[in-house]
Amino acid sequence: MQPGQTFNDPLPGTSFAGPELVVIPSGRFVLGDSSGVGNYNERPTHAVRIDRAFALGRFELTTADWRQYARATGTPMPDDEGWGLPERRPVIQVSWVEAHAYCRWLSQVTGQRYRLPTEAEWEYAARAGSHTAYWWGEQLDSPESRPRAHCRGCASPRALQAQSAQVGQFPANAFGLYDTAGNVWEWTASAFVIPFDGRESAAAALADTGPRSVRGGAWNSGPGYLRSSQRDFKQPQYRGYALGLRVLRELP
């Protein structure tokens, strides 16, 4: 598979496919805040090498994606906050434990290896080769005529300002990923640790039972929370109306 290629894995026994994925190339980048405007927990920076290409959800996992899992496993659908979430809105109110269970199910039914991205993988993909505060530059620069992202202060359409937006409405980064800044926070596999490291393996991250790192900011976040190196944390059992996930699929 070539970098930038998009694909889905079929879900055997159904007419549906898994989440749409995009191939992310291997490469090097500097993990953490290099600009000096970030928080103490975004430092020290580290030069990190991503040795293998991987595939990442082109969009945040949608309600439609989660519905296939719910139907197959008899799992109740998460709370939609009374928003009546359409199929293309990101799924919310999903804990880290539930997100991990979804990835395990998707791995079983497709025969591929799905999981949550580590912090390093997430930031590498979100930056898409950039070295600036946001993947598009140092400033928010989000005009009303064409908002960069969905957040409080991003000039999002008024109708969206009290809830999440359908995926794919705002520009994609250079890797072809949508909503890595804003819309909903995204779970990572990684434990939230200080001092910042972010280089642990996904297997090592799973062994930790402490708070997990979340990334990307959300619809109810201020612009500063959308920076590529911005980190926050939630307990693994936490569910929230501004928190979802994006899946990673390992490539051969």
Side-chain angles (χ1 to χ4, degrees):
M1 294 186 181
Q2 299 301 311
Q5 181 179 342
T6 60
F7 68 99
N8 306 74
D9 285 321
L11 299 179
T14 77
S15 59
F16 299 98
E20 187 172 358
L21 305 166
V22 60
V23 177
I24 307 299
S26 60
R28 298 176 183 269
F29 81 114
V30 176
L31 176 73
D33 172 52
S34 301
S35 67
V37 302
N39 301 317
Y40 73 97
N41 62 28
E42 299 169 40
R43 297 185 290 271
T45 58
H46 301 289
V48 174
R49 178 174 178 82
I50 303 296
D51 291 319
R52 297 174 62 90
F54 58 90
L56 195 64
R58 190 181 182 196
F59 308 105
E60 292 161 332
L61 196 78
T62 66
T63 301
D65 293 323
W66 194 270
R67 196 179 305 281
Q68 300 309 314
Y69 166 64
R71 287 172 175 166
T73 61
T75 303
M77 286 295 291
D79 184 4
D80 66 1
E81 293 295 315
W83 297 343
L85 293 178
E87 300 293 85
R88 295 291 290 172
R89 289 269 284 280
V91 68
I92 55 172
Q93 295 287 5
V94 172
S95 71
W96 184 90
V97 174
E98 292 165 329
H100 178 59
Y102 170 83
C103 292
R104 188 168 59 244
W105 168 81
L106 194 58
S107 298
Q108 291 171 346
V109 298
T110 63
Q112 305 298 333
R113 295 188 64 177
Y114 281 86
R115 55 179 174 82
L116 296 173
T118 64
E119 278 200 272
E121 291 165 336
W122 190 97
E123 187 173 323
Y124 173 71
R127 286 190 176 281
S130 68
H131 306 281
T132 49
Y134 305 93
W135 60 258
W136 56 81
E138 293 291 357
Q139 304 299 322
L140 178 64
D141 186 26
S142 189
E144 290 187 7
S145 59
R146 196 166 187 265
R148 294 276 193 184
H150 183 31
C151 77
R152 287 183 177 170
C154 287
S156 301
R158 187 175 300 274
L160 297 178
Q161 290 178 2
Q163 54 188 258
S164 62
Q166 291 194 43
V167 299
Q169 291 196 52
F170 302 91
N173 70 11
F175 282 164
L177 300 172
Y178 290 85
D179 298 317
T180 54
N183 211 16
V184 295
W185 289 95
E186 300 174 17
W187 286 114
T188 73
S190 299
F192 186 87
V193 294
I194 301 173
F196 183 38
D197 185 275
R199 295 175 293 181
E200 82 282 36
S201 69
L206 287 175
D208 194 293
T209 59
R212 321 309 294 190
S213 292
V214 297
R215 291 297 203 110
W219 59 267
N220 61 348
S221 301
Y225 288 90
L226 274 61
R227 293 178 298 102
S228 297
S229 61
Q230 169 69 31
R231 310 171 69 216
D232 205 343
F233 67 91
K234 299 295 180 187
Q235 296 295 335
Q237 297 80 18
Y238 176 83
R239 301 184 183 98
Y241 54 58
L243 176 59
L245 67 145
R246 187 185 303 260
V247 297
L248 181 148
R249 179 199 188 275
E250 297 181 1
L251 297 177

